[in-house]
Amino acid sequence: MKFKDMPYERPDFEAAKQTLVELTRRLKEASSYEEAKAVFMESEEGAKHLHTMATLVSVRNSIDTRDEFYDAEQKFMDNAFPELQQYMQAFSMAMLESPYRADFSAEFGDLMFINAEIQLKTFDPAIIPDLQKENELRTRYTKLIASAQIPFRGETYTLSQLSPWKLNPDDEVRKEAWIAEGNWYNEHGTELDEIYDELVKVRDAMGRKLGFDGYTKLGYMKMKRNCYGPEDVEKFRIAVQKYLVPVAKKLYIRQAKRQGRDFPLNFADKDLAFRSGNPRPAGNPAEILDMGTKFYSELSEETKEFWNFMREHEMLDVESKPGKAGGGYCSRIANMRSPFIFANFNGTSHDVEVVTHEAGHAFAGFLNRNRIPASTIWPSLEGCEVHSMSMEFFAWPWVDGFFGDDARKFRYTHLAGALAFIPYGTMVDHFQHVIYEYPTFSPEERHQVWQELLGIYMPWVKPGEIPFYGEGKGWQRQSHIYTNAFYYIDYCLAQTVALDFWARIQEDAAAAFETYLKYSKLGGTMVFTDL
């Protein structure tokens, strides 16, 4: 079945609650492991249906945020799932207290119990209204970003569609595009500040209601951080400042020199790697996907089977269009046992990176599609990002097919960008640590924090010149800060692993891929440090 043909029906959440109550009762009364396991498998099947319907709503809503039906369904889901959580928690508690826990661990692994113990600390019925409010605010941010209509040179563009102009080698055109985008963000700055201010306060309130000193510890638990904590991230942050910032700074000094510019660079010049322009894909969206078919068919039998499945069932929506939510992601259609890729092709190298990055996530999900419990299909998010960021490097032998004459440019910008990204990503995480430590900060104080962190992590850019970005407000375009608190250091940790794969590829590409395949086949059966 193709994605477009998948039927949707609003789940009966009242019936789901009663089903969970009954399953919890039966689990507690089970007189054998076989009986307890049968109940557990029923719960997995029921969760699969709910997950599928919720994902269909989320994906179709993000494909067209103007669709009134799916907009209403998304609002319904935003309110319904928090109310279901206490029933899911009761079932989890029964699993943790089951006399057959050792039997479950022997067959399915103990990690689901470790994660369940963490998740139990993240919920209490008292925070249901807060969870509903958080969902409402996240959806509001996503819709606002998707609604952007930016006038530029006689045409109107979405944020994604404007991106190629922001990389135009003509200095005047490029700067004009950055200013147009910056002006749009500034025009909506009050609303962006209001949304985030409410998000910070509601998250802080949830943390305190659950007995924490604010949101940070709760945020780590919601991210399933089961093998490291804020102290470890702080050590990583210090190492990034000490070792990687100087390397990235050298790269930008060289960039300024070869372009004949003063250092530091303004935001409009920072992303132009070459005076002649950045690498661009050699084909249109259909040709890029076809080149993806060649890449995955030649990389391995496993990747060939995966990519053919994705294309046959049309489990990709990649072209940018009005009303479409920004960014890209990989999700899972549980009933189909299939990943789904959402993206916004815009004629930049990003288009090829979607075929490798998001498909790296999807490939890992495809390999583990039959795994039980479903919670172990994918690991925690930093483990997932290893799948995607490493797959980008395994694509290098096929870069000539994707980029033609720009292949050498791409290899340079890809590797240099991977090194320079880690300071930026670490800055995003550092910003959030500060903000949740001081939840009463005003919008102006938050902008000041970002401006100060730019000086520490990105000394190759100068303030001023470009509206919004040069004013310490650039964090507002980083959707994770709004929609997935504390989800960003994951990319940085994963990038270090991906760079290790890059080094291994230089020595023995086949052996490196075998290691990657073994890593990916483990799914979410281990914590990140063990993976």
Side-chain angles (χ1 to χ4, degrees), residues 196 233 237 240 421-436 449-450 453-454 457-458 474-482 484-492:
Y196 193 61
V233 171
R237 187 187 303 151
V240 168
F421 166 77
I422 296 176
Y424 170 75
T426 305
M427 176 177 68
V428 171
D429 182 75
H430 194 162
F431 174 78
Q432 294 183 86
H433 273 271
V434 174
I435 297 309
Y436 288 106
V449 170
W450 185 257
L453 291 175
L454 279 169
Y457 290 98
M458 296 176 65
W475 61 272
Q476 292 182 329
R477 61 156 294 282
Q478 190 58 67
S479 63
H480 302 70
I481 293 175
Y482 285 80
N484 299 91
F486 288 113
Y487 180 7
Y488 220 72
I489 198 67
D490 310 72
Y491 291 106
C492 305

Side-chain angles (χ1 to χ4, degrees), residues 288-289 292-293 295-296 299 302-304 306-308 310-311 315-316 318 328-331 339-343 345 350-367 378 384-392 395 402 513 516 520:
I288 291 171
L289 292 177
T293 299
F295 161 47
Y296 286 113
L299 181 61
E302 293 91 345
T303 52
K304 178 180 179 180
F306 148 72
W307 191 250
N308 287 343
M310 295 292 287
R311 298 208 65 186
M315 291 294 175
L316 309 96
V318 299
Y329 60 78
C330 174
S331 192
F340 183 88
I341 293 173
F342 171 94
F345 278 17
H350 161 81
D351 300 353
V352 174
E353 289 162 0
V354 165
V355 172
T356 55
H357 182 101
E358 298 303 343
H361 288 306
F363 176 56
F366 186 79
L367 286 174
W378 275 309
C384 288
E385 296 303 341
V386 173
H387 301 142
S388 55
M389 291 175 148
S390 302
M391 185 65 86
E392 294 176 26
F402 282 116
F513 185 74
Y516 172 82
S520 299

Side-chain angles (χ1 to χ4, degrees), residues 2 9 146 153 182 253 257 261 293 312 340 378 413 415:
K2 292 177 169 52
E9 60 177 0
R153 298 211 157 198
I253 289 172
K257 185 176 180 180
R261 303 186 190 282
T293 299
E312 178 186 348
F340 183 88
W378 275 309
T413 56
L415 188 56

Side-chain angles (χ1 to χ4, degrees), residues 46 49 110 152 156 203 206 210 220 237 258 298 322 349 374 417 419 423 490 502:
H49 175 71
D110 196 51
F152 178 74
T156 302
R203 286 167 178 162
M206 281 193 286
L210 291 169
Y220 268 61
R237 187 187 303 151
R258 66 176 177 262
E298 294 177 0
S349 60
L419 290 165
D490 310 72
W502 177 86

Side-chain angles (χ1 to χ4, degrees), residues 369-425:
R369 61 193 182 279
N370 297 319
R371 192 176 285 285
I372 297 172
S375 61
T376 58
I377 288 175
W378 275 309
S380 48
L381 290 170
E382 67 289 278
C384 288
E385 296 303 341
V386 173
H387 301 142
S388 55
M389 291 175 148
S390 302
M391 185 65 86
E392 294 176 26
F393 287 125
F394 283 109
W396 270 30
W398 290 267
V399 161
D400 293 85
F402 282 116
F403 285 95
D405 292 341
D406 276 357
R408 188 175 175 217
K409 274 186 180 180
F410 175 76
R411 289 188 181 96
Y412 178 86
T413 56
H414 186 201
L415 188 56
L419 290 165
F421 166 77
I422 296 176
Y424 170 75

